[in-house]
């Protein structure tokens, strides 16, 4: 209501999949709430018994051995020998409370201390260092009063040290290659 528009919240929408998984096929509306609660509870208890649950270690999530096609596609950008890529993942935990996945928009620290934004393409580990392939966006306008920023979306792929990621972004495509993000107050 404050901005007069609905923002794309794909990062947050991913959290609602568990509820939709069990709510959509239920046809018994007499015990709908109870059925949903039972199914979600069973699913939650099952997920708590899986390996890696409650592991808040910063790093790649569900990492796997890199396939030759992926490494070859990014080898020019990585500027390393293909054999030096130890693992790849589409998701990475970058602090105790957040992860970011492929296609998420994130805020990163620039070398000059400023703030940048971009789209995650891939997370890799090379020689023990976690790196992220990101399509950096160019800042076109920042508004401190509304805590929003406008960016030109680009496909300018760069490698960053993943520890430079500071937050995931809530964003809205504006058309003509532009996007608007809400900048968290702790990053201003």
């Amino acid at each position: 209501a404050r901005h007069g528009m609905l923002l794309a919240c794909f990062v947050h929408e991913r959290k609602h999949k568990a509820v939709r998984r069990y709510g959509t096929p239920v046809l018994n509306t007499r015990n709908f709430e109870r059925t949903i609660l039972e199914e979600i509870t069973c699913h939650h208890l099952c997920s708590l018994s899986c390996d890696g649950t409650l592991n808040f270690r910063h790093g790649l999530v569900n990492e796997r051995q890199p396939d030759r096609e992926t490494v070859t596609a990014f080898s020019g950008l990585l500027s390393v020998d293909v054999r030096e890529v130890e693992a790849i993942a589409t998701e990475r935990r970058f602090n105790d409370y957040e992860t970011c996945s492929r296609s998420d928009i994130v805020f990163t620290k620039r070398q000059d201390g400023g703030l940048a934004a971009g789209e995650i393409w891939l997370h890799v580990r090379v020689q023990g260092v976690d790196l992220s392939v990101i399509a950096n966006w160019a800042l076109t306008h920042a508004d401190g009063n509304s805590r929003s920023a406008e960016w030109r979306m680009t496909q300018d792929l760069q490698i960053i040290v993943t520890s430079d990621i500071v937050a995931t972004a809530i964003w809205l495509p504006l058309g003509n290659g532009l996007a608007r993000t809400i900048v968290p107050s702790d990053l201003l």
Side-chain angles (χ1 to χ4, degrees):
R2 178 177 175 191
H3 296 284
M5 68 188 95
L6 184 62
L7 297 169
C9 303
F10 297 115
V11 172
H12 307 289
E13 284 298 316
R14 195 168 45 236
K15 309 295 185 202
H16 301 292
K17 284 184 178 179
V19 174
R20 288 195 312 260
R21 176 183 300 158
Y22 300 111
T24 304
V26 174
L27 301 176
N28 180 3
T29 57
R30 175 177 264 172
N31 294 320
F32 183 79
E33 291 86 2
R34 180 184 172 130
T35 303
I36 298 299
L37 186 58
E38 287 173 349
E39 292 297 325
I40 290 175
T41 302
C42 289
H43 181 259
H44 188 69
L45 290 173
C46 179
S47 66
L48 286 174
S49 66
C50 295
D51 289 339
T53 301
L54 302 175
N55 179 3
F56 298 107
R57 180 186 64 82
H58 299 195
L60 302 177
V61 176
N62 297 327
E63 66 185 54
R64 63 187 188 282
Q65 292 297 316
D67 54 47
R68 183 163 296 283
E69 295 81 26
T70 303
V71 174
T72 303
F74 291 104
S75 63
L77 189 61
L78 293 171
S79 301
V80 296
D81 186 349
V82 172
R83 295 170 295 211
E84 294 177 355
V85 178
E86 299 167 4
I88 62 172
T90 57
E91 184 178 9
R92 185 189 194 282
R93 177 171 298 284
F94 61 92
N95 67 34
D96 291 343
Y97 310 105
E98 289 183 272
T99 65
C100 60
S101 298
R102 181 178 7 150
S103 301
D104 284 348
I105 308 306
V106 296
F107 293 111
T108 62
K109 294 183 289 191
R110 292 190 322 218
Q111 291 178 354
D112 64 3
L115 193 64
E119 178 183 356
I120 296 291
W121 280 46
L122 183 69
H123 300 288
V124 299
R125 182 178 310 119
V126 178
Q127 297 177 345
V129 178
D130 286 352
L131 305 171
S132 295
V133 179
I134 186 171
N136 277 332
W137 290 2
L139 180 65
T140 59
H141 176 72
D143 185 356
N145 292 331
S146 67
R147 289 187 281 180
S148 65
E150 287 187 13
W151 307 85
R152 175 151 312 280
M153 298 184 289
T154 68
Q155 298 299 316
D156 177 28
L157 295 181
Q158 293 182 349
I159 298 290
I160 63 166
V161 177
T162 309
S163 60
D164 287 345
I165 297 174
V166 293
T168 54
I170 297 173
W171 68 288
L172 170 73
L174 299 175
N176 296 326
L178 295 175
R180 179 175 293 137
T181 61
I182 294 177
V183 180
S185 58
D186 60 331
L187 300 180
L188 290 176

